[in-house]
Amino acid sequence: MDFEKLKEFNESNDIENVKKLIGSTKLKTSKTKKRSVIMVSGHQIKHLKKIPSLPADVIMLNLEDGVPKGKKEIARYNIAVFLSNTEKLNKEIVIRVNALNEGGMDDIKYLDRFEFDAFRIPKVNSIEDIDDVFMKTNKEIHASIETKEAFFNLKELKHPKLTTFYIGIYDLLNELGINHSVISIDNPLIHKILSDFSLTSRYLNITPIGFVYQHYKDLEGFKKWCLLQKNLGMQGVGCITPAQCEIANRIFDEDREFAEMIVERFENEGPFTLENIGLYVDEPIYKNYKQILKEV
């Protein structure tokens, strides 16, 4: 892909020449554990160029927050150029469109022709929003849970194409009139918000992804939030930097070799005891490790 030309055309906001760079390659992606999700805005050419080397499980190609209004249209075509000139990625690709009433439907209508994994819909309020998207695409649908309507009616958001939820903690607190100062690792209010979100997502068989920790240089703080969110049932978290991705991948990973040993031995022997660690493996323990192996 000619990133230099793409950069040149973006600097002059030359949309017509950006369109000419759209190729015909059918991108092949890989299913992942969704441990780390990193945002890459469509107008940032230098970031698009780095996607193959990023250590994230999921690349979130962004058209919404973080993309200036004057760059949203060209960002949409930049994403089309990237998708149509890339052969293979060992990651999932999700496109976060604009709010449905602010250009999101146009984003979906145009980009649906290209190969990637899912659309992420921001500011979802009801199942009707998901139905509207479903009528426009056969791809997976992901939803940002950042409005009070969505959060307090989460059980109503069940749809065959809806596979993943992202908790937008900052927007949600804004809607509730709660200061962001409550975002503290020891605050029971935050624990309740995250655990309610996680449990309801699991009840719906939808993957819950934790929030982005904005203090991207505070890696120790990020590690603590990852551990907390994992313990509250999240499958992964949003990330800002590659360093955050690497931490999230380690924390949200599971020892697959250990899981494989547990599953194989239980299926051959039935219940057994691991004397070296003092673990009795019965049916519930076996099912837990079986589930781990089902996750990509």
Side-chain angles (χ1 to χ4, degrees):
M1 186 190 308
D2 195 336
F3 282 104
E4 289 306 313
K5 275 191 177 179
L6 191 59
K7 180 181 177 183
E8 176 189 335
F9 296 150
N10 270 256
E11 287 172 350
S12 59
N13 215 38
D14 188 347
I15 291 175
E16 292 308 312
N17 270 319
V18 169
K19 289 181 182 179
K20 292 177 183 177
L21 296 178
I22 295 172
S24 58
T25 301
K26 300 292 186 182
L27 172 63
K28 292 182 179 179
T29 59
S30 299
K31 285 296 178 185
T32 69
K33 298 179 183 179
K34 294 183 175 66
R35 302 164 299 178
S36 54
V37 180
I38 195 167
M39 197 76 70
V40 177
S41 291
H43 70 297
Q44 296 281 11
I45 306 306
K46 63 179 180 179
H47 295 163
L48 290 173
K49 186 176 181 179
K50 293 178 181 178
I51 285 175
S53 64
L54 291 175
D57 280 353
V58 180
I59 304 296
M60 187 69 60
L61 294 173
N62 185 32
L63 289 169
E64 196 212 8
D65 293 350
V67 179
K69 286 187 177 180
K71 289 291 185 180
K72 286 187 181 288
E73 185 178 9
I74 202 167
R76 182 192 295 163
Y77 293 114
N78 288 340
I79 288 174
V81 171
F82 175 79
L83 294 173
S84 63
N85 286 278
T86 305
E87 290 186 4
K88 188 176 181 180
L89 290 169
N90 62 339
K91 317 171 191 303
E92 294 182 48
I93 298 292
V94 179
I95 298 178
R96 182 169 81 162
V97 300
N98 288 287
L100 297 181
N101 61 350
E102 297 176 8
M105 280 300 187
D106 291 332
D107 294 333
I108 293 167
K109 183 178 179 181
Y110 180 76
L111 291 168
D112 188 55
R113 71 195 72 183
F114 300 101
E115 298 297 323
F116 55 96
D117 295 284
F119 283 112
R120 174 175 169 180
I121 313 304
K123 299 176 177 65
V124 168
N125 286 311
S126 67
I127 193 61
E128 284 75 22
D129 293 334
I130 304 302
D131 284 333
D132 289 343
V133 174
F134 175 65
M135 298 298 291
K136 302 291 184 184
T137 181
N138 287 321
K139 291 184 170 65
E140 282 184 24
I141 302 173
H142 296 184
S144 297
I145 307 305
E146 53 196 343
T147 68
K148 55 188 177 184
E149 290 81 7
F151 181 78
F152 287 103
N153 295 285
L154 201 57
K155 282 187 179 179
E156 307 302 318
L157 299 181
K158 186 172 179 61
H159 192 282
K161 283 290 184 178
L162 186 54
T163 64
T164 306
F165 284 151
Y166 305 84
I167 182 73
I169 195 73
Y170 302 99
D171 285 319
L172 178 60
L173 291 175
N174 288 343
E175 283 231 335
L176 294 171
I178 299 175
N179 193 284
H180 291 181
S181 61
V182 302
I183 303 176
S184 167
I185 203 85
D186 298 318
N187 190 332
L189 174 62
I190 294 301
H191 291 200
K192 177 170 173 54
I193 290 172
L194 295 176
S195 58
D196 285 357
F197 168 76
S198 170
L199 285 171
T200 306
S201 299
R202 298 286 183 171
Y203 170 78
L204 296 170
N205 291 319
I206 291 176
T207 300
I209 302 296
F211 71 89
V212 176
Y213 183 61
Q214 300 286 81
H215 303 280
Y216 61 91
K217 290 187 178 180
D218 177 17
L219 297 182
E220 283 303 310
F222 177 74
K223 186 183 297 183
K224 291 176 182 177
W225 277 109
C226 282
L227 287 167
L228 174 66
Q229 295 195 78
K230 179 182 180 180
N231 287 337
L232 293 176
M234 303 298 178
Q235 191 156 319
V237 293
C239 299
I240 296 176
T241 66
Q244 284 188 338
C245 291
E246 289 169 356
I247 291 171
N249 289 346
R250 289 196 300 272
I251 290 176
F252 284 91
D253 211 354
E254 296 283 357
D255 187 341
R256 291 185 66 84
E257 287 187 12
F258 184 77
E260 287 167 357
M261 180 274 291
I262 293 286
V263 169
E264 182 180 0
R265 187 167 170 185
F266 185 90
E267 290 178 349
N268 289 331
E269 303 176 19
F272 65 93
T273 301
L274 287 175
E275 296 289 351
N276 59 328
I277 60 173
L279 175 66
Y280 176 61
V281 179
D282 58 2
E283 186 81 15
I285 302 298
Y286 158 73
K287 285 182 176 179
N288 173 66
Y289 285 102
K290 185 80 169 178
Q291 179 61 37
I292 289 170
L293 295 180
K294 284 183 180 178
E295 295 173 358
V296 180

